[in-house]
């Protein structure tokens, strides 16, 4: 750049000096722009990286659903009454013991995809609570609509076929529901939904129970 400027400047020393003083502000401005531009790119890159790290800290890597921490944050920030639904894969330990953990991971991924596909409204919050347990926070919806969608998850899950080597197998899903009013703590709502879910297992599994513990029709 400097060599180029030397070549185009006039030969007369006085004129060279005048041109140099004339070009100096423009060159300084250009240099400052380049510095700020590079700094802006660096800051933008850091912001993108931070957003990516924040997203990774909120998402369960296997199921691609929100993790428990992010789910609790969403539950705490709700501004209206909601329904909490807890799903649990039946006999999941037997899946790992009989077919291996790779097959168990496939089951987790598949069930997570089913839940996410059914609970796809903008107001739905879906997470993997841990292990083979999933949670849904349904807002701005009626109980019967949520019950129908929860039972649809159960019915679709049992139709999913899995394989491990030359073996084919299926899994079932049990679930429980609870009211999660705006003033209800997560621990309270979760205990009610979890109790309903275990009641569903005691009644034979492959079942969804409303908050009043009335059973869904089996597939």
């Amino acid at each position: 750049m400097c060599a180029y400027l030397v070549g185009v400047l006039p030969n007369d020393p006085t004129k060279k000096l005048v041109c140099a003083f004339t070009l100096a502000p423009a060159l300084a401005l250009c240099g400052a722009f380049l510095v700020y531009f590079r700094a802006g790119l660096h800051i933008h890159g850091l912001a993108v990286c931070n957003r990516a790290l924040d997203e990774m800290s909120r998402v369960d890597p296997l199921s691609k659903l929100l993790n428990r921490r992010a789910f609790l944050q969403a539950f705490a920030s709700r501004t209206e009454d909601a329904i909490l639904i807890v799903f649990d894969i039946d006999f999941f330990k037997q899946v790992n013991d009989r077919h291996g953990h790779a097959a168990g991971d496939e089951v987790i991924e598949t069930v997570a995809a089913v839940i996410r596909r059914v609970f796809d409204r903008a107001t739905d919050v879906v997470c993997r609570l841990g292990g083979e347990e999933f949670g849904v926070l349904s807002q701005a919806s009626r109980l019967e609509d949520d019950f129908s969608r929860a039972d649809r998850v159960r019915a679709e899950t049992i139709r999913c076929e899995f394989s491990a080597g030359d073996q084919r197998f299926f899994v079932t899903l049990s679930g429980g529901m609870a009211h999660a009013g705006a003033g209800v703590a997560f621990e309270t709502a979760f205990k009610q939904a979890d109790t309903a879910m275990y009641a569903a297992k005691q009644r034979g599994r492959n079942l969804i129970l409303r908050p009043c513990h009335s059973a869904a029709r089996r597939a």
Side-chain angles (χ1 to χ4, degrees):
M1 182 68 175
C2 293
Y4 172 77
L5 290 175
V6 171
V8 298
L9 287 175
N11 293 325
D12 185 89
T14 302
K15 292 183 178 180
K16 279 187 177 181
L17 187 61
V18 172
C19 288
F21 277 108
T22 303
L23 292 174
L27 291 174
L29 182 62
C30 182
F33 172 78
L34 290 175
V35 170
Y36 281 111
F37 179 74
R38 293 184 64 182
L41 286 178
H42 181 66
I43 293 172
H44 175 72
L46 288 176
V48 171
C49 183
N50 287 335
R51 284 196 298 271
L53 289 174
D54 180 66
E55 185 66 20
M56 288 173 61
S57 71
R58 292 169 48 82
V59 175
D60 172 65
L62 178 60
S63 67
K64 303 303 186 291
L65 301 177
L66 293 181
N67 58 28
R68 187 185 186 94
R69 181 176 69 87
F71 188 73
L72 291 178
Q73 291 174 347
F75 189 94
S77 64
R78 74 196 188 286
T79 58
E80 55 188 317
D81 292 347
I83 295 295
L84 175 65
I85 308 168
V86 174
F87 294 104
D88 189 88
I89 300 171
D90 298 324
F91 300 114
F92 184 72
K93 185 178 183 301
Q94 293 183 15
V95 172
N96 283 329
D97 292 344
R98 293 177 181 177
H99 307 291
H101 288 279
D105 287 349
E106 183 184 357
V107 170
I108 293 289
E109 292 173 323
T110 302
V111 172
V114 171
I115 298 173
R116 179 69 274 179
R117 185 169 63 250
V118 174
F119 286 90
D120 61 348
R121 298 175 183 173
T123 53
D124 294 334
V125 184
V126 183
C127 86
R128 182 185 180 194
L129 289 169
E132 67 273 25
E133 195 169 52
F134 303 88
V136 175
L137 181 65
S138 176
Q139 305 169 91
S141 181
R142 296 187 305 125
L143 173 62
E144 286 306 311
D145 290 339
D146 290 333
F147 174 75
S148 296
R149 291 196 293 164
D151 197 49
R152 178 182 160 196
V153 169
R154 178 200 61 79
E156 289 192 14
T157 295
I158 199 173
R159 290 195 289 267
C160 296
E161 183 178 359
F162 301 94
S163 62
D166 58 351
Q167 294 183 316
R168 300 290 184 269
F169 66 96
F170 298 85
V171 298
T172 59
L173 198 67
S174 297
M177 305 173 66
H179 293 287
V184 176
F186 174 78
E187 291 78 9
T188 301
F190 177 78
K191 182 177 180 179
Q192 293 173 356
D194 199 51
T195 299
M197 184 267 292
Y198 275 103
K201 288 182 178 291
Q202 291 172 356
R203 296 188 187 189
R205 296 177 171 80
N206 186 30
L207 200 63
I208 306 295
L209 294 184
R210 298 180 179 86
C212 61
H213 289 189
S214 60
R217 179 172 54 84
R218 292 179 183 274

